[in-house]
Amino acid sequence: MSPEEFRELGHRVVDWVADYWSTVDQRPVLARVQPGEVAAALPASLPEKAEPLDAVLADLDRVLVPGLTHWQHPRFFAYFPANSSPAGVLGDLLSSGIGAQGMIWATSPAVTELEQVVLDQLREALGLPESFARSGAGGGVIQDTASTATFTALLAALHRATDGGARRAGVPPGRFTVYGSTQAHSSLLKAAMMSGLGEAAVRAVAVDPTTQAMDVAALREAMGADVAAGLTPVMVQAAVGTTSTGAVDPVAEIAPVAQEHGAWLHVDAAWAGVAAVCPEHRWIHDGVEHADSYVTNPHKWLLTTFDCSAFWVRDRAALVGALSILPEYLRNPATESGAVVDYRDWHPQLGRRFRSLKLWTVLRSYGLEGLRAHITNGVRQAQHFADLVRADARFEMVTDPVLGLVVFRVVGDDQRTMDLMEAVNAGGTAYLSHTKVEGRAALRMAIGSWQTTDADIDTTWDALVSHLS
Amino acid sequence: MSPEEFRELGHRVVDWVADYWSTVDQRPVLARVQPGEVAAALPASLPEKAEPLDAVLADLDRVLVPGLTHWQHPRFFAYFPANSSPAGVLGDLLSSGIGAQGMIWATSPAVTELEQVVLDQLREALGLPESFARSGAGGGVIQDTASTATFTALLAALHRATDGGARRAGVPPGRFTVYGSTQAHSSLLKAAMMSGLGEAAVRAVAVDPTTQAMDVAALREAMGADVAAGLTPVMVQAAVGTTSTGAVDPVAEIAPVAQEHGAWLHVDAAWAGVAAVCPEHRWIHDGVEHADSYVTNPHKWLLTTFDCSAFWVRDRAALVGALSILPEYLRNPATESGAVVDYRDWHPQLGRRFRSLKLWTVLRSYGLEGLRAHITNGVRQAQHFADLVRADARFEMVTDPVLGLVVFRVVGDDQRTMDLMEAVNAGGTAYLSHTKVEGRAALRMAIGSWQTTDADIDTTWDALVSHLS
């Protein structure tokens, strides 16, 4: 395929995407296929001869699309908002076309420098502390996911706690402990598993039963008991917007406790953090100025095509110290001058995509006004949905809504709640996911897609009511 | 931006990419900017108002493009081939537009099942063993990079070696050892650092000074000495195509040594593996049928836009055992039935992009014939370049060429070789990178971009000769 053929076929693929977005609301949100059904419709072997793009698009329509759960559907309310926008897709297309590798500054300087600049711009826009700015000892980097951010935060914490011993000689099991609430994201446990600490190092700290936010007294007690037992607290993870209910851990109160024991404080604001682009939501960042690291995902609620997880540290030396390598074939004068950042040393991978280009395209295409309007719209829709729940005696709120997330249930036993979710999801109008709060089933209505209108909220409510047995 | 505006703007971005590809050979391959130059040309803050895409494209042309090193340039011969193609970009655009999350089967079944099918198809096309097929105990997954594949291979190896103890209670330092040649990719060291083993666990096994391939006698000796000292060999990494010179470790001879000590055998064929799509190059996979895991990167030499690293294991239970997590909000009937694969448990991240779509688009758009022609063309161009080197007494070959990689130097002291590289790279005609072989500087001419013609090889040779002092 030559550049000229690409031009023609590219226009057709753009049209395919535009048509998909324009018509996706006519499809059931949740895929209706059985396990193995998509695979069974595809050939076992590759074709010997080249096939035209038409054949690929025909199979996409015939086999794959019916097997998709549509994350860009306006009534997709499961998990978290839908991580894309037309501007994000265009920025990503530019990145694909340029096809540059940003593993070190020297392999394509603009890839590194745009990322540095955009993360400083976003830091400022979210009211994050100066200590994360690259002008000081900190800095930002785009990770693929918040899971990777949490993992690298833990590696940096171990590096600091062992004065570099961890990377040289490993980490002794049974010595270090890690803290998060019972509602912390599963990636904290996974980070401990992958880092050599093991699951046993993770303490699940109790939460306030009403707010589901970390109980700081319980944290203090857990850390104290561990220290008394001869263990070393290495990291505390505070969640700003838990996955389950959107709970916001009190970072400002957690920080002095972490500090007292010399533990690294990592703030996981994967979903909620981007809401701080609105001054009225900036309270979620209270205390973040004391954090050692912080992550939020523009690929969740800030319109940026997956993957794009914005991660900042206040001491980049700890992160780079934990992860740096320098084989001969990557030696170059710019690296040796110390005048540049080589992002290969900021994450587990070596190769890296030009991801700042899509984030930059999104941020400029919306402007701060547009970004605030997007967040405000989602929050307003969530408040409207919560009002509908509160006004209907057959339902109850499980927690107070946080930003764009409403957690509620059907009054009665858990089965009624789960049955309703399954009925609505199977009906195809909308897609919600569930959680458990204080041991009881609850539904999550996670609002914030670029495609969602007020009418979509009402349509979803009507579907819930109509499926109520 | 509405879907209709996207349609119009999308056509313009497609045209931007087509124009970029058509004219990139008129640009210097290597960026000429100084550290900080790109960043200084960008504003410190985000705009308050939305900006039109024109403004973004204008800044892209004015500020960013001059700061790029052009990986899609036909005379980019540094590091490894250029990881893209028009078909790959179109597949990636479809993936961006669909914007689905494949973290578990249930979040979008087609994302998981296309990946399973395409990796089985590619496995067959590369002549990889049946033991990696999903129909048995094995399976394939797309990782972002080979670094991540190596890291997950090590985690699976530790899981197997400890009967699951590693994920629960961590890994005791000073107990496990890991082996690769002195030429193993730096990601092996990084994997040991991240897994909690530490750098000290890695043994750099000597290579044959001529072929630069692992010396199996030295491996046997190193493993034996470690076992005698009470240590446990946990993984051996064999390189099929080292980064430095393309050396192919003798997997068939390494396998019984690894097996004797119960060590996991991981094969890193990141760059070279895809060449096995041609039957005449399939010798590189001799012995791979004994491997526990294997990785090759379609995003290097198989025309697939970064990132796309194809990773297979023969025992998926060890991999999933090391990495599985199941929070309540991801529970679902399909997972609990055991009838589906949830790829979240195959890698460090939770969220994942629909990457199989671009790989599938590439593989079908070229067909096996087209893929073979692409590889064959690169190998032929490398042979031609090697002939030019051999015919000129001012140059010498450093190693025999392997597939598309030619490693050579200027006769004389190392400075002459490094000076020549810097002169050619600064001249802008071509971009080559360097390495050290047996302590001496060498240049790497890594051929295989979709844009490279025979004339580009000759032009590059002419540039080398003309800059020779």
Side-chain angles (χ1 to χ4, degrees), chain B residues 41 71 142 173 180 219 397:
Chain B
W71 285 66
I142 297 176
L219 172 68
M397 296 292 287

Side-chain angles (χ1 to χ4, degrees), chain B residues 21 144 152 192 289 297 336 432 458-459:
Chain B
W21 289 337
D144 49 11
T152 55
E289 65 276 16
N297 291 351
E336 275 156 36
L432 285 76
D458 289 327
T459 303

Side-chain angles (χ1 to χ4, degrees), chain A residues 384-403:
Chain A
H384 172 60
F385 186 83
D387 288 342
L388 295 169
V389 172
R390 288 193 188 100
D392 191 318
R394 294 168 297 180
F395 292 88
E396 61 187 22
M397 296 292 287
V398 173
T399 49
D400 283 338
V402 178
L403 302 169

Side-chain angles (χ1 to χ4, degrees), chain A residues 45 92 144 306 349 353, chain B residues 92 96 124 144 306 349 353:
Chain A
S45 299
D92 207 30
D144 50 9
F306 188 89
Q349 303 88 352
R353 190 172 162 88
Chain B
D92 206 29
S96 287
E124 183 190 66
D144 49 11
F306 186 87
Q349 303 87 351
R353 191 172 162 89

Side-chain angles (χ1 to χ4, degrees), chain B residues 349-362:
Chain B
Q349 303 87 351
L350 174 55
R352 65 198 323 267
R353 191 172 162 89
F354 194 2
R355 288 179 294 206
S356 57
L357 193 49
K358 66 185 170 192
L359 181 56
W360 188 63
T361 305
V362 167

Side-chain angles (χ1 to χ4, degrees), chain A residues 1 3 6-7 10-11 13-16 18-19 21-22 31 33 35-39 42-51 55 59 64 67-69 71-72 79 83 86 89-90 92-94 96-99 101 105 107-110 113-114 117 121 124 144-145 147-148 151 155 167-173 185-186 190 193-200 243 305-306 322-323 325 328-331 340 344 347-353 360 364-369 372 434 436, chain B residues 1 3 6-7 10-11 13-16 18-19 21-22 31 33 35-39 42-51 55 59 64 67-69 71-72 79 83 86 89-90 92-94 96-99 101 105 107-110 113-114 117 121 124 144-145 147-148 151 155 167-173 185-186 190 193-200 243 305-306 322-323 325 328-331 340 344 347-353 360 364-369 372 434 436:
Chain A
M1 195 187 298
F6 170 82
R7 199 184 296 270
H11 290 191
V13 171
V14 165
D15 291 344
W16 188 96
D19 291 343
W21 288 339
S22 303
V33 292
E37 197 175 324
V38 170
L42 296 167
S45 299
L46 291 179
E48 192 64 28
K49 304 272 179 198
E51 294 185 84
D59 283 351
L64 297 182
L68 290 172
T69 292
W71 283 66
Q72 305 309 313
Y79 310 109
N83 72 56
V89 171
L90 293 182
D92 207 30
L93 172 55
L94 289 168
S96 288
I98 290 168
Q101 264 292 346
W105 181 89
T107 60
S108 220
E113 295 197 11
L114 181 65
V117 169
Q121 293 175 332
E124 183 190 66
D144 50 9
T145 63
S147 295
T148 299
F151 178 52
L155 295 176
R167 71 168 280 165
R168 290 192 298 274
V171 285
H185 192 264
S186 56
K190 197 162 175 176
M193 285 157 51
M194 296 191 296
S195 68
L197 294 181
E199 295 167 279
T243 306
T305 308
F306 188 89
L323 291 167
I325 44 156
E328 179 63 32
Y329 45 81
L330 293 179
R331 282 190 187 274
V340 301
R344 124 203 100 185
H347 47 54
Q349 303 88 352
L350 174 56
R352 66 198 320 268
R353 190 172 162 88
W360 187 63
R364 294 182 63 176
S365 296
Y366 283 83
L368 286 166
E369 279 186 4
R372 289 183 194 124
H434 82 288
K436 278 194 178 168
Chain B
M1 197 188 295
F6 170 83
R7 198 185 297 268
H11 289 192
V13 171
V14 164
D15 290 345
W16 188 96
D19 292 342
W21 289 337
S22 303
V33 292
E37 197 176 327
V38 171
L42 296 167
S45 300
L46 291 179
E48 191 65 26
K49 304 273 180 198
E51 294 185 83
D59 283 351
L64 297 182
L68 290 173
T69 291
W71 285 66
Q72 305 309 313
Y79 308 109
N83 71 55
V89 171
L90 293 182
D92 206 29
L93 172 56
L94 289 167
S96 287
I98 289 168
Q101 263 293 345
W105 181 88
T107 59
S108 220
E113 295 195 11
L114 181 64
V117 169
Q121 292 175 333
E124 183 190 66
D144 49 11
T145 62
S147 295
T148 299
F151 179 51
L155 295 176
R167 71 167 280 163
R168 290 192 299 274
V171 284
H185 191 264
S186 57
K190 197 163 176 176
M193 284 156 51
M194 296 191 296
S195 69
L197 293 181
E199 295 166 277
T243 306
T305 309
F306 186 87
L323 291 167
I325 44 155
E328 179 64 31
Y329 45 81
L330 293 179
R331 283 189 186 276
V340 300
R344 127 204 97 187
H347 47 55
Q349 303 87 351
L350 174 55
R352 65 198 323 267
R353 191 172 162 89
W360 188 63
R364 293 182 65 178
S365 296
Y366 284 82
L368 286 167
E369 278 186 4
R372 289 183 194 123
H434 81 286
K436 278 194 176 167

Side-chain angles (χ1 to χ4, degrees), chain B residues 438-450:
Chain B
E438 297 290 310
R440 291 213 45 209
L443 301 188
R444 297 170 68 264
M445 175 89 176
I447 296 171
S449 163
W450 62 283

Side-chain angles (χ1 to χ4, degrees), chain A residues 10-33:
Chain A
H11 290 191
R12 295 197 23 221
V13 171
V14 165
D15 291 344
W16 188 96
V17 170
D19 291 343
Y20 172 73
W21 288 339
S22 303
T23 58
V24 67
D25 68 332
Q26 297 159 30
R27 301 181 185 276
V29 191
L30 183 64
R32 289 173 168 170
V33 292

